[in-house]
Amino acid sequence: MATSTHTVTNQPPPLVAYDVFTADRALAEAVERHLDPAVRAVARRELAELGRAAGSAQAQRWAVQADTNPPVLRTHDRHGNRIDEVDFHPAWHRLLGRAVASGLTNAWGRPGGHVRRAAGFLVWSQAEAGHGCPVSMTHAAVPALRVDPEFAAEWEPRLTSGVYAQGLRPAAEKPGVLFGMGMTEKQGGSDVRAITTRAVPLAGAGEYELTGHKWFCSAPMSDAFLVLAQAPGG
Ligand SMILES: Cc1cc2nc3c(=O)[nH]c(=O)nc-3n(C[C@H](O)[C@H](O)[C@H](O)COP(=O)(O)OP(=O)(O)OC[C@H]3O[C@@H](n4cnc5c(N)ncnc54)[C@H](O)[C@@H]3O)c2cc1C
């Protein structure tokens, strides 16, 4: 049986069960300042709710579980078929699900959407930072998609649906999708113009064949990827 040897008196109590948003005076004031009065009250309520969730014991537990159970790549199923699925701990999915349901991939087209998303991201990523990566990339892919209106019409509704649909299946069958990014190369990080991946146009309109070597792909379970490459026009 363990016996008590001494009393620890020099540690602060655990920071838990608090509202991450409301406790952040600078962030709360910035939201007041930058949001249109018409959406301010709703946004404040939503952000405080997310803030309480981010500061909860539950979210802290999910974070520990997600970070101490790293993703596992399953290259094949038990019958030998190649699947390349990445298995994550359920806590990872719960964190992602809450992020997506809270509008963190859905800034575009919502009144005050960018202020709400930015503040919400600052709040929720304090629960766990890693899953913020796919959330952020999904949000950030929208302007690039909009370069091709047909493509945007197909993908944007699923990307901004606020629904997290985990699992490996065709994107067309999913009510919500995540976007990853393949930009960085060994010689091209901050300086993305230094990338050497080539995009060669194919016969089909808007289709390219990509040849190159990417260096980081943090969210390989994403449903689609924004991949940066040099096309004939640059
Ligand atoms: C956890 C993690 C996940 C990532 N996930 C992805 C992903 O999913 N997809 C993807 O495409 N990439 C991803 N990246 C890569 C990321 O985008 C690059 O790391 C980033 O662009 C910086 O590039 P670099 O690492 O080559 O650093 P470098 O560009 O080589 O920078 C090195 C240092 O030089 C400084 N520096 C660079 N340029 C200048 C300048 N002009 N003037 C002054 N200082 C400068 C930088 O501040 C830095 O301190 C990820 C990185 C991390 C750490």
Side-chain angles (χ1 to χ4, degrees), residues 133 137 180-192 214-219:
C133 180
M137 290 192 287
M181 292 194 184
M183 296 193 287
T184 308
E185 296 175 12
K186 287 179 209 171
Q187 78 294 349
S190 303
D191 183 6
V192 285
K214 294 295 174 180
W215 180 235
F216 258 102
C217 184
S218 301

